[in-house]
Amino acid sequence: MLPIRILKAAGRVVGRRLNGKLPITWLLAVGFTGLTTLAVGIVFYVGIQETQRITLQLLAERGGQALAQVVRSVDGILDPVRRQMALMTESVAEGRIDLRDRDQITGLLVGSLSANPQMVGIGYVTANGVAYRATRGERELKRVVLPGGEGLRRQLQEIAKARAPEWLPPVWSTILQQTVVTLRVPAFDENDQFLGVLEAAVGVGEVSRSLAQSSSLGETAVILYDHDWVLAHPSLASMTMTGSDTRPLPRLEEVNDPVLAAIWGNGTMPKGRFPVLLRQFDQEATLLTLEAGDQDYIFLYREIRRYGDKPWILGFYIKGDVVEEAFGGLEMLARTGIFVLLGSIGLSLVLAKLIRRPIRDYFAICDSYYQAIRRATAQEIETIDMARRGVHNEAADLLLE
């Protein structure tokens, strides 16, 4: 009997404290609503975070792939020239071609020019300063004795000491009437004797045409030389190139592209997770956000130095609307999630109100039951107990529904 008395006393103490502070029905209703809101909120938060991560990752992957395509388009033009020049010098070093024979020089230069459509000209300068050149559109090989004398020979010997192929800065060619980038390679015979220098010229207009073809919808690919000069741009693909010895390339503001003119002026590096995710696909990529006119833009680029001493900036820019459209689905999900959260709160309040009455009745009957134990007959106690069971079953059915 002692445990029963302790249980009754504890029930009376808890009841008095609850009556003095917060009714048990309200406590259960608030607890039920709070737990439901917390559960829905956690699911909503986790879903938003995961969707945001996936969206950022997809954007970063797309940016990395587009940047890689720009790099491939440039390598696709210049790498074949490098390989062709390596094959030529290898043939000379193995004795298969004699650069002392003019007929063999002609066959080598003209054949290489025909095999590489991106070449606009190719030449060979002997160690004595005699130059042979073949240009696209000319039928015969040109022979020219270069001025310079001893100074020219010393320069050629310096090239021979370096031995390695070298990409030269862009220059304006008066012969070809266009700006070219040139690959210069020293040639040695089978006895490792220096014979001269082979040079292959690639027109920057060809690079612009390649960029125009590789640029997808909404993306504008560009190549900058040493940050301030435009080496290739889709708009230059259809323009007649003009230049001079001192200005072989146009400046950023001279290609009628307001985005390029504003890149280094007001471009800023954004913070957040996107630049971090981007470097998972391209560790050398850099991201800038800028404003040109009334439009926001994103400029993604990579700096490379394998085509000369000055850096080449390979990249592309897109309108900021493209990124905003990608996050449009995320915003819709967030709005939907808020509506679901508010709906769950309202529904939990309605359910709490429905179960409040059975709980209140159940506690009232329990209180009557404890009071009846003292003075009521066994039949009255059984009647109260049956009523308690009925309210209990009603509340249980309500919760199941």
Side-chain angles (χ1 to χ4, degrees):
M1 296 297 294
L2 183 59
I4 296 178
R5 292 176 183 175
I6 294 175
L7 183 61
K8 291 179 180 179
R12 287 193 295 270
V13 172
V14 173
R16 284 196 300 269
R17 293 199 174 186
L18 287 174
N19 288 333
K21 293 184 178 181
L22 184 67
I24 188 64
T25 54
W26 280 104
L27 182 62
L28 291 175
V30 172
F32 180 76
T33 303
L35 288 175
T36 303
T37 303
L38 179 62
V40 175
I42 290 175
V43 173
F44 170 65
Y45 176 78
V46 172
I48 288 293
Q49 291 295 315
E50 183 64 16
T51 304
Q52 183 185 35
R53 184 190 67 81
I54 294 174
T55 303
L56 288 172
Q57 187 170 1
L58 290 175
L59 285 173
E61 183 176 2
R62 176 184 172 185
Q65 291 175 349
L67 184 57
Q69 178 60 34
V70 176
V71 176
R72 284 194 298 268
S73 66
V74 175
D75 290 341
I77 294 176
L78 300 183
D79 276 356
V81 176
R82 179 185 56 80
R83 290 193 295 268
Q84 179 66 33
M85 296 291 280
L87 180 62
M88 292 166 61
T89 55
E90 180 182 351
S91 299
V92 174
E94 293 177 354
R96 296 196 301 270
I97 295 177
D98 185 4
L99 290 181
R100 299 178 182 88
D101 187 315
R102 177 165 180 169
D103 290 338
Q104 294 193 39
I105 294 175
T106 301
L108 179 66
L109 299 185
V110 175
S112 298
L113 189 64
S114 301
N116 292 270
Q118 60 268 55
M119 285 187 190
V120 293
I122 187 170
Y124 169 61
V125 180
T126 68
N128 296 323
V130 178
Y132 299 89
R133 73 165 186 266
T135 58
R136 198 165 298 282
E138 292 184 352
R139 296 182 178 180
E140 297 181 357
L141 188 71
K142 301 293 184 180
R143 180 183 182 276
V144 179
V145 178
L146 298 178
E150 188 62 29
L152 175 61
R153 282 190 288 272
R154 283 197 302 268
Q155 183 180 2
L156 291 173
Q157 289 300 322
E158 290 295 327
I159 297 173
K161 291 179 182 180
R163 301 189 73 93
E166 180 184 8
W167 286 97
L168 303 180
V171 295
W172 175 258
S173 172
T174 54
I175 297 174
L176 299 171
Q177 286 298 297
Q178 60 178 302
T179 300
V180 297
V181 289
T182 304
L183 177 61
R184 184 170 62 191
V185 183
F188 300 86
D189 63 11
E190 62 270 25
N191 298 317
D192 202 32
Q193 181 180 354
F194 176 64
L195 298 177
V197 176
L198 290 166
E199 294 184 346
V202 179
V204 297
E206 183 64 30
V207 182
S208 292
R209 283 185 286 273
S210 177
L211 283 187
Q213 295 174 358
S214 64
S215 296
S216 60
L217 184 63
E219 299 171 357
T220 302
V222 297
I223 300 178
L224 308 181
Y225 180 75
D226 197 19
H227 292 84
D228 298 325
W229 306 91
V230 182
L231 193 146
H233 188 278
S235 64
L236 300 178
S238 57
M239 295 174 56
T240 301
M241 292 293 296
T242 59
S244 64
D245 294 337
T246 57
R247 294 284 296 271
L249 296 173
R251 298 186 67 89
L252 298 182
E253 61 273 13
E254 295 176 348
V255 294
N256 196 25
D257 188 334
V259 180
L260 285 186
I263 280 179
W264 308 127
N266 59 16
T268 57
M269 292 185 181
K271 299 180 180 180
R273 298 171 59 189
F274 183 72
V276 178
L277 290 172
L278 177 62
R279 286 186 173 84
Q280 294 179 1
F281 298 96
D282 191 331
Q283 295 182 354
E284 301 177 358
T286 303
L287 181 70
L288 292 180
T289 58
L290 65 142
E291 182 179 351
D294 297 330
Q295 181 68 51
D296 294 328
Y297 292 89
I298 295 176
F299 180 50
L300 184 63
Y301 70 92
R302 183 201 294 180
E303 184 176 300
I304 63 174
R305 292 181 177 269
R306 58 177 175 267
Y307 295 122
D309 294 334
K310 301 294 185 179
W312 286 31
I313 309 298
L314 279 65
F316 68 93
Y317 65 81
I318 58 174
K319 291 183 177 180
D321 296 342
V322 176
V323 178
E324 293 179 0
E325 290 176 0
F327 280 95
L330 184 61
E331 294 177 359
M332 179 64 68
L333 178 62
R335 287 194 293 267
T336 303
I338 292 174
F339 288 138
V340 171
L341 181 61
L342 294 176
S344 65
I345 293 174
L347 180 61
S348 62
L349 289 174
V350 172
L351 293 176
K353 186 176 181 180
L354 291 176
I355 67 173
R356 189 177 62 184
R357 183 187 59 79
I359 293 175
R360 185 178 63 245
D361 294 344
Y362 184 78
F363 272 89
I365 292 177
C366 287
D367 186 63
S368 300
Y369 179 78
Y370 289 132
Q371 293 178 7
I373 292 178
R374 302 175 182 174
R375 57 180 179 275
T377 62
Q379 184 176 2
E380 291 175 340
I381 293 175
E382 184 179 358
T383 301
I384 295 174
D385 187 55
M386 291 178 62
R388 180 189 63 80
R389 293 179 182 178
V391 175
H392 178 275
N393 293 335
E394 180 184 356
D397 293 340
L398 183 61
L399 288 175
L400 290 176
E401 293 177 0

